[in-house]
Amino acid sequence: MKITTAMHGGNYNELAKQHGLTKEMILDFSANINPLGVPASLKQTITANLDKLVEYPEPDYLALRARIASFHQLDLANVIPGNGATELIFGIAKVTKAQKVLLLAPTFAEYERAFFDAEIIYAELTKETHFAAAETVLEMIKRETDLEAVCLCNPNNPTGQLISQQEMIQIAELCEERNIYLIIDEAFMDFLEGNETISMINYLGSFPHLAIIRAFTKFFAIPGLRLGYLLTKNDLLAEALLQMREPWSINTFADMAGQVLLDDTDYITQTYNWISAERDFLYQELSKFSELTVYRPSVNYIFFHLETPLDLRKELLLKGIFIRSCANYRGLTENYYRVAVKARCDNTKLIRALEVIFSGN
């Protein structure tokens, strides 16, 4: 059965109400947002430009596209901005009109919803291979005839596993040989310091069927603003995406955010310092529990399997902590969970709560 409704992390308000809790009483580990919060540079920019609300946004977003292009050393024509990465996923599905699409399972649900009219083929990932994707994807592309698009999340959500650049080049070469669109969602790639050795952005010129999606949402903690962008050197694809966009889909403050945040080197450095310490801390602490099988993380969330019969999300919610159940991901069961990496004090609260739960108290 295809996924037709959106279900994501961060939707904890309703569940909290069911247990007599308010949103403010919940420590949310379900949404993978940078705990440093909205950068001060953006707050200052918005505050100084509140009067801009009486003006329509710039329709072609030329300054925004030029800043993103400069950051990635691309041309303005290679950048298509969007109202978050999700708008671009749905947009490229409409433009390519792909009728047979390869997706990972498990992975982010919006790809399946975007390609709803297509025949979906799944590269099923397993715990036996630690949810590694590259080998399975290559086998599926070789085996399945008439594939028109391959859509991959790298790092994958919710497993956090990476397809290396070398492996992705092999996938891209095979897709190019067969005229298959390769769409790579790199929404979490910014959390990897030195990610140019993993990202495929520097290979856009080598693969005309390649499109890469990035987002400001997670790294810069602005899910409420909705800003993402797609990169491609396929002129026909880029032009089609620009032509089909609804006017003013990006609001004025999101437009400003994209121009300001890429220059906020202090915030970027602070983020790398935070994640390098806290990701390792939380992974090591979670791995100490015999009740959990924890998969080594690559970015700002950790995926694990509960080895004992227990509704862990419910037990933690009773202690004021909300985590992401992965039961609604294709190929996963109710014993799989994902937690965001947060600040040390919050991560410690999660560990202490798990100690109490697993001790039976």
Side-chain angles (χ1 to χ4, degrees):
M1 180 183 294
K2 288 187 176 181
I3 297 172
T4 58
T5 57
M7 295 180 68
H8 304 291
N11 298 323
Y12 58 93
N13 201 25
E14 189 59 38
L15 194 57
K17 287 180 182 178
Q18 294 173 17
H19 291 80
L21 302 170
T22 65
K23 180 178 178 181
E24 290 70 28
M25 295 166 65
I26 300 295
L27 182 55
D28 182 23
F29 277 84
S30 73
N32 308 316
I33 305 300
N34 191 329
L36 297 184
V38 180
S41 60
L42 179 56
K43 291 180 181 179
Q44 292 165 4
T45 299
I46 290 176
T47 301
N49 288 277
L50 286 175
D51 289 345
K52 294 285 186 181
L53 286 174
V54 301
E55 304 173 9
Y56 279 98
E58 197 273 307
D60 297 318
Y61 304 105
L62 296 179
L64 171 63
R65 292 168 63 199
R67 181 65 196 95
I68 295 170
S70 173
F71 183 79
H72 291 296
Q73 298 182 325
L74 296 169
D75 294 331
L76 184 144
N78 305 142
V79 179
I80 298 87
N83 184 263
T86 303
E87 181 188 47
L88 295 162
I89 293 166
F90 277 78
I92 199 165
K94 290 178 183 178
V95 166
T96 61
K97 297 182 174 64
Q99 293 302 299
K100 189 173 182 179
V101 181
L102 177 65
L103 302 179
L104 300 178
T107 197
F108 185 51
E110 294 303 324
Y111 314 134
E112 188 167 323
R113 294 183 67 235
F115 287 99
F116 182 74
D117 292 331
E119 176 187 359
I120 305 295
I121 306 298
Y122 301 98
E124 296 181 356
L125 312 181
T126 66
K127 62 181 181 180
E128 288 77 17
T129 59
H130 302 282
F131 295 93
E135 186 175 335
T136 303
V137 169
L138 284 166
E139 289 176 359
M140 295 289 288
I141 296 173
K142 292 173 183 176
R143 188 175 75 202
E144 294 292 333
T145 58
D146 303 323
L147 270 179
E148 295 183 1
V150 174
C151 189
L152 303 175
C153 186
N154 196 39
N156 192 29
N157 179 12
T159 67
Q161 302 306 300
L162 278 167
I163 298 176
S164 72
Q165 192 178 76
Q166 184 177 1
E167 291 169 330
M168 198 67 86
I169 289 171
Q170 293 177 342
I171 293 170
E173 288 174 341
L174 189 55
C175 287
E176 204 62 42
E177 288 173 12
R178 303 188 177 199
N179 295 315
I180 299 169
Y181 286 105
L182 175 57
I183 304 156
I184 307 175
D185 181 355
E186 294 186 352
F188 290 96
M189 190 67 73
D190 288 331
F191 284 100
L192 286 160
E193 191 171 7
N195 62 68
E196 63 275 1
T197 62
I198 300 170
S199 170
M200 286 291 286
I201 289 176
N202 291 336
Y203 289 87
L204 284 168
S206 303
F207 302 109
H209 285 81
L210 174 61
I212 297 172
I213 295 171
R214 287 283 187 104
F216 285 84
T217 301
K218 311 294 186 180
F219 190 88
F220 291 106
I222 55 168
L225 275 187
R226 314 301 309 140
L227 180 62
Y229 55 94
L230 182 145
L231 305 173
T232 183
K233 287 201 172 182
N234 185 318
D235 293 339
L236 293 177
L237 181 61
E239 185 59 30
L241 282 164
L242 288 170
Q243 290 297 324
M244 61 83 62
R245 290 178 63 253
E246 295 181 13
W248 306 302
S249 66
I250 300 170
N251 68 65
T252 295
F253 292 150
D255 186 353
M256 290 179 187
Q259 297 179 58
V260 169
L261 293 178
L262 294 176
D263 293 322
D264 196 336
T265 55
D266 288 343
Y267 183 91
I268 293 169
T269 300
Q270 288 172 7
T271 298
Y272 287 143
N273 291 339
W274 151 72
I275 196 170
S276 132
E278 292 309 313
R279 180 180 56 210
D280 291 346
F281 168 78
L282 188 55
Y283 171 69
Q284 295 296 336
E285 292 299 309
L286 288 172
S287 298
K288 292 177 182 178
F289 294 110
S290 60
E291 295 86 354
L292 304 179
T293 296
V294 187
Y295 295 88
R296 184 174 292 278
S298 60
V299 280
N300 66 323
Y301 51 91
I302 299 178
F303 178 65
F304 62 84
H305 183 262
L306 178 67
E307 303 296 338
T308 186
L310 183 72
D311 187 340
L312 189 57
R313 185 174 70 162
K314 179 180 178 181
E315 293 296 324
L316 282 168
L317 185 59
L318 293 174
K319 297 182 181 303
I321 295 174
F322 189 65
I323 66 173
R324 178 69 155 93
S325 167
C326 295
N328 67 317
Y329 281 89
R330 185 177 296 275
L332 298 181
T333 65
E334 66 276 2
N335 285 338
Y336 284 99
Y337 297 89
R338 188 196 70 199
V339 294
V341 179
K342 297 177 76 68
R344 177 62 60 93
C345 61
D346 293 337
N347 295 333
T348 301
K349 288 177 184 177
L350 173 62
I351 296 302
R352 297 293 173 260
L354 289 172
E355 288 174 349
V356 173
I357 292 169
F358 291 145
S359 70
N361 295 326

